[in-house]
Amino acid sequence: QVQLVEPGGGLVQPGGSLRLSCAASGSIFRLYAMGWYRQAPGKQRDLVATITNGGNTVYADSVKGRFTISRDNAKNTVYLQMSSLKPEDTAVYYCNIVILPLTYWGQGTQVTVSS
């Protein structure tokens, strides 16, 4: 059994910053990668950023230079620092972890960028 807890999210003005976190617990002995996806209304769920055990990162082109993903392996927690937020970043953000060969999802947290 794997649990993902992702507090955070909320309303922020354009140009503002926000940090998301996601803590994993349970049977995570082979935790490989952690990351974030997002889904805007009427759109598919897309990758935002991922980070592997070794610290390798992948970012969506739309967030490069604005978002930073990091993880604390001791706490099994992944973070997403979001800066220079734009209205088009508005979406439900989902935490994602890979414990080979399975993938797990958090419940999602709403991020709204609006003035």
Side-chain angles (χ1 to χ4, degrees), residues 8-35:
L11 174 64
V12 63
Q13 292 187 342
S17 298
L18 194 64
R19 189 176 85 153
L20 304 180
S21 65
C22 174
S25 62
S27 302
I28 53 175
F29 306 109
R30 296 183 178 180
L31 180 58
Y32 172 64
M34 306 182 79

Side-chain angles (χ1 to χ4, degrees), residues 37-40 44-46 48 62-63 67 89 91-93:
Y37 287 69
R38 67 186 181 187
Q39 187 168 19
Q44 66 182 19
R45 189 176 298 185
D46 291 326
V48 176
S62 59
V63 306
F67 291 11
D89 294 317
V92 177
Y93 284 69

Side-chain angles (χ1 to χ4, degrees), residues 31-61:
L31 180 58
Y32 172 64
M34 306 182 79
W36 294 92
Y37 287 69
R38 67 186 181 187
Q39 187 168 19
K43 296 188 177 181
Q44 66 182 19
R45 189 176 298 185
D46 291 326
L47 170 72
V48 176
T50 63
I51 183 168
T52 67
N53 280 352
N56 295 316
T57 57
V58 175
Y59 291 94
D61 287 342

